[in-house]
Amino acid sequence: MNIIKNKEAIRLLYDSILNPKQFEKLPILISDIYTNSVGAKGVAAFKKPIAELATAFPDAQWKIEDIIAEDNKVIVKQIFTGTHQLPFQNITPTHKTISVNGIATYVFKNEKIVFSEIETDRFSFLQQLEALPIPPKPADPNILFLIDKFFIPKSSVAEFKERMAYNRVFIKNLSGFISDKVLESYDDSGNLTIITVAEWENRKRLNEAKLAVQKEYKRTGFNPKDFYARLNIKMERGQYQTFQE
């Protein structure tokens, strides 16, 4: 019975709250003890990224493709569509209509959502917003994009940016480096989310670059794992290649 109720709650979330932009109703389904994947808490933490999308994409819609429920967890295959009318994460309006696939995971307790995590095709999203170049066809199948996402608490922003500037200067001088881009977004508390995109000639050059970076870290006595732990920084990393039809 809980599985059925949870699936019904998710459909209510999409059909009656997200798509009509009636975010004032979120407390009906979002628990006061809600926590997201980067540790932010409360209904406001759930609302913030959705409201930012709805502001930048006024016609934003989240379409449910499929729902799978088990125990207290519901997984949704979804498609986000919207027209980019206002700035989003420092990206000026493109007035393009985008469509991005995603997987959303929701965890319930006492018939309310206490945790959620959204995995989207970030690479396609950035390309459709023209924040990343779309290679001409035929595209070079060897080119790799290394995309990192960082969540940095307000107290750690200055030190993180100093380290990031050092790293960027270093990698730009490595063989096989093509280009990089940095996107950033601050929340209301001054915490920073940064997405970095580095473009490399091929996998061999990228692997060589990783070894060079590790060697430089060893030379300078820098330990990235300890650095992120000390500053409470959360990081996600992915490698992408251009889609070949």
Side-chain angles (χ1 to χ4, degrees), residues 60-224:
Q61 292 290 289
W62 290 263
K63 179 183 177 182
I64 295 176
E65 290 285 286
D66 195 12
I67 296 181
I68 300 174
E70 183 176 352
D71 297 329
N72 66 334
K73 183 180 295 185
V74 178
I75 299 174
V76 178
K77 180 182 179 184
Q78 65 182 34
I79 299 177
F80 170 82
T81 58
T83 306
H84 187 205
Q85 301 287 6
L86 290 173
F88 181 74
Q89 295 185 351
N90 291 339
I91 304 173
T92 56
T94 63
H95 305 287
K96 291 182 174 293
T97 299
I98 69 169
S99 178
V100 182
N101 295 324
I103 300 293
T105 301
Y106 302 94
V107 178
F108 282 80
K109 183 177 181 180
N110 297 327
E111 299 185 356
K112 286 194 174 186
I113 296 169
V114 294
F115 175 82
S116 69
E117 185 172 26
I118 312 295
E119 297 289 338
T120 61
D121 186 350
R122 193 182 309 141
F123 182 74
S124 174
F125 181 81
L126 294 174
Q127 277 199 330
Q128 291 181 63
L129 292 185
E130 299 180 340
L132 286 178
I134 301 177
K137 295 182 179 180
D140 185 346
N142 296 311
I143 290 178
L144 280 177
F145 295 88
L146 189 65
I147 302 181
D148 291 341
K149 181 179 180 181
F150 302 90
F151 174 80
I152 307 104
K154 179 180 179 181
S155 60
S156 303
V157 169
E159 187 172 352
F160 175 84
K161 283 197 167 186
E162 181 180 357
R163 183 71 224 184
M164 183 179 69
Y166 178 92
N167 287 355
R168 291 184 72 198
V169 170
F170 181 79
I171 69 169
K172 285 181 179 181
N173 292 309
L174 297 178
S175 178
F177 173 84
I178 298 176
S179 67
D180 75 342
K181 188 178 290 289
V182 178
L183 307 173
E184 63 177 36
S185 175
Y186 287 89
D187 64 22
D188 295 337
S189 300
N191 303 313
L192 174 63
T193 297
I194 281 186
I195 298 173
T196 63
V197 184
E199 185 179 5
W200 296 89
E201 288 181 1
N202 51 52
R203 189 175 302 278
K204 180 175 181 292
R205 292 301 190 189
L206 176 57
N207 290 337
E208 290 173 350
K210 289 179 178 179
L211 291 175
V213 169
Q214 291 171 7
K215 185 177 179 180
E216 175 67 6
Y217 285 169
K218 185 176 181 180
R219 184 187 73 82
T220 59
F222 176 71
N223 186 313

Side-chain angles (χ1 to χ4, degrees), residues 14-31:
Y14 282 70
D15 295 341
S16 300
I17 300 178
L18 299 186
N19 288 328
K21 317 300 188 300
Q22 295 185 8
F23 303 136
E24 70 278 3
K25 295 181 180 179
L26 282 173
I28 296 174
L29 294 177
I30 310 301
S31 172

